């Protein structure tokens, strides 16, 4: 892993639509915070696919394995069939690099919690299939894959993170109905919890979690949950804590190359208008700096993004304002 004494090798994927614009602001802020990156740029996304049919080849993935981090904007073009880029680029990368943690912080004046979502298993692992497809008797199944190893490494990461925060982890699942997957998660959670006597724990069913996230978010510090529940509750978390312009994320394989991106997409409705808020990309850059061992710079960037309502103007004006506050 890299540290202050060697250069951070980072792959840059601006992608489509507003992606390149917000990434440019993120890189501007990182440079202003005094962190030097050794960058390799990759032209990938829907526009590239439309040009020459390339989504993500295996040679590129092999190059990425030698990097410390990947910094993404957003991918997706109107003329590309839905799912093609998601599966062929984002999911392919996630599985190939085993980015098993999806981490999303939610911070405003009234919120400060982080969701740790398992990122490689559950109902998103691709288990299932059709029987008698396109007949009146058609059957579709979509199983949830939960391995002890996969659940444990995710839960363990959540407890380690809680040690650096307010010392509380909440498991979110639906153990009353999903009695097999939920049981594996609950047993694993309780066994790991026993190794962390100083960390307080809680449990919420996912539906109750949605109520608390709106009505009593202060109860949460670190939430750990499976892939599908995590996908859904992180969108809710974003909606109650500042919206899509602020939501940042990390796709992590701790100790190895990991990927950092704003939660939003390529926003074709506002592309080229200067309306894209770069704060989500800037905050994703701060998460990347944490991963690169540059936490001082990351904390300064987060502080500079504080009070986001006061950050107004065009994409570059907001980037400049954040730089000005550093
Ligand atoms: P979107 O996130 O691109 O846009 C949703 C709405 O939020 C739009 O009204 C947009 O203008 C607004 N918005 C998004 N980011 C913003 C920002 N930084 N500042 C201000 N407003 C912002 O989601 P949508 O429209 O569902 O998808 C558009 C394309 O992006 C699709 O091709 C989709 O597949 C792709 N996408 C890619 C993602 C990724 O790269 N990880 C994630 C989500 C969508
Ligand atoms: Mg989602």
């Amino acid at each position: 892993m890299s540290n202050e004494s060697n250069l951070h090798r980072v792959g840059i994927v601006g992608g489509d639509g507003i992606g390149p614009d917000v990434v440019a602001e993120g890189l501007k802020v990182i440079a202003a915070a005094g962190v030097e990156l050794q960058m390799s740029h990759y032209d990938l996304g829907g526009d590239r696919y439309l040009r020459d049919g390339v989504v993500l080849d295996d040679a590129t993935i092999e190059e990425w394995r030698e990097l410390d981090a990947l910094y993404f904007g957003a991918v997706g073009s109107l003329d590309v069939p839905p799912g093609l880029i998601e599966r062929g680029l984002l999911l392919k990368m996630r599985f190939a690099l085993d980015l098993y943690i999806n981490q999303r912080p939610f911070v405003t004046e009234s919120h400060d919690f982080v969701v740790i979502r398992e990122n490689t298993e559950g109902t998103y692992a691709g288990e299932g299939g059709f029987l008698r497809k396109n007949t009146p008797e058609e059957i579709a199944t979509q199983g949830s894959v939960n391995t002890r190893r996969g659940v444990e490494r995710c839960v363990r990461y959540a407890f380690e993170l809680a040690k650096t925060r307010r010392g509380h982890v909440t498991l979110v699942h639906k153990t009353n109905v999903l009695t097999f997957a939920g049981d594996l998660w609950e047993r694993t959670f309780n066994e790991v919890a026993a190794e962390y006597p100083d960390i307080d724990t809680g449990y919420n069913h996912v539906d109750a979690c949605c109520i608390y996230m709106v009505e009593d978010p202060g109860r949460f510090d670190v939430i750990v949950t499976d892939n599908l529940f995590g996908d859904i509750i992180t969108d809710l978390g974003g909606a109650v804590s500042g919206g899509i312009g602020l939501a940042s994320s990390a796709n992590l394989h701790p100790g190895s190359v990991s990927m950092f991106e704003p939660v939003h997409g390529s926003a074709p409705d506002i592309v080229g208008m200067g309306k894209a808020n770069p704060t989500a990309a800037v905050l994703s850059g701060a998460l990347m700096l944490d991963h690169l061992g540059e936490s001082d710079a990351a904390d300064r960037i987060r502080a500079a993004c504080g009070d986001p309502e006061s950050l107004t103007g065009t994409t570059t004006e907001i980037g400049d304002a954040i730089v000005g506050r550093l």
Side-chain angles (χ1 to χ4, degrees):
M1 203 61 250
S2 57
N3 54 46
E4 276 85 334
S5 65
N6 63 27
L7 220 46
H8 308 303
R9 297 158 303 174
V10 178
I12 311 290
V13 181
D16 304 309
I18 65 170
D21 302 340
V22 297
V23 159
E25 298 309 307
L27 293 174
K28 182 165 88 184
V29 171
I30 288 170
V35 178
E36 202 181 329
L37 305 178
Q38 183 184 308
M39 291 183 266
S40 321
H41 291 265
Y42 293 88
D43 175 14
L44 294 171
D47 295 347
R48 167 78 191 273
Y49 169 76
L50 291 173
R51 221 177 318 120
D52 62 12
V54 172
V55 180
L56 175 62
D57 53 38
D58 294 340
T60 302
I61 290 180
E62 292 312 309
E63 275 178 51
W64 286 355
R65 291 187 200 284
E66 306 302 315
L67 300 174
D68 299 310
L70 289 158
Y71 188 41
F72 261 62
V75 290
S77 306
L78 290 173
D79 300 332
V80 177
L84 196 140
I85 301 293
E86 287 84 346
R87 277 196 306 273
L89 179 54
L90 296 172
L91 283 181
K92 183 175 177 179
M93 167 183 59
R94 197 175 286 176
F95 286 113
L97 302 179
D98 194 24
L99 305 177
Y100 64 89
I101 300 285
N102 186 274
Q103 178 167 335
R104 285 180 58 178
F106 299 95
V107 186
T108 66
E109 257 153 43
S110 45
H111 300 77
D112 185 6
F113 63 93
V114 51
V115 175
I116 302 302
R117 161 186 168 191
E118 202 293 320
N119 213 23
T120 56
E121 301 192 340
T123 39
Y124 291 16
E127 196 263 351
F130 294 108
L131 282 175
R132 305 194 270 276
K133 195 173 178 186
N134 295 320
T135 73
E137 285 74 38
E138 176 163 353
I139 298 169
T141 62
Q142 192 93 50
S144 175
V145 176
N146 300 265
T147 68
R148 168 69 197 217
R149 173 175 168 274
V151 172
E152 183 172 333
R153 64 184 181 172
C154 181
V155 167
R156 205 169 276 289
Y157 180 85
F159 277 85
E160 285 296 321
L161 183 65
K163 280 206 290 195
T164 69
R165 294 177 48 95
R166 300 196 303 280
H168 190 280
V169 185
T170 305
L171 172 65
V172 168
H173 209 284
K174 188 76 183 179
T175 53
N176 52 341
V177 178
L178 304 182
T179 48
F180 310 123
D183 187 73
L184 175 60
W185 272 86
E186 193 166 45
R187 268 185 291 120
T188 306
F189 183 85
N190 291 338
E191 285 171 30
V192 172
E195 296 174 32
Y196 292 85
D198 297 335
I199 303 290
D200 292 328
T201 61
Y203 171 79
N204 288 148
H205 292 318
V206 64
D207 37 2
C209 168
C210 292
I211 297 175
Y212 297 138
M213 217 176 251
V214 175
E215 296 188 347
D216 182 24
R219 67 165 58 216
F220 296 126
D221 179 21
V222 178
I223 292 175
V224 64
T225 191
D226 90 340
N227 207 338
L228 172 62
F229 295 143
D231 192 2
I232 298 166
I233 67 170
T234 50
D235 270 22
L236 179 61
V240 298
S241 65
I244 197 77
L246 302 185
S248 60
S249 77
N251 290 271
L252 301 168
H253 187 116
S256 199
V257 60
S258 297
M259 184 273 224
F260 303 84
E261 63 167 350
V263 168
H264 62 74
S266 54
D269 54 332
I270 58 168
V271 68
M273 300 164 75
K275 287 186 184 171
N277 186 342
T279 309
V282 171
L283 291 170
S284 304
L287 289 171
M288 178 168 76
L289 295 188
D290 286 331
H291 172 76
L292 295 172
E294 299 277 5
S295 290
D296 284 353
D299 287 341
R300 281 189 288 120
I301 291 173
R302 278 186 283 265
C305 292
D307 189 16
E309 279 86 58
S310 67
L311 290 168
T312 54
T314 65
T315 306
T316 47
E317 283 167 356
I318 293 175
D320 290 341
I322 295 169
V323 167
R325 290 176 177 184
L326 276 171

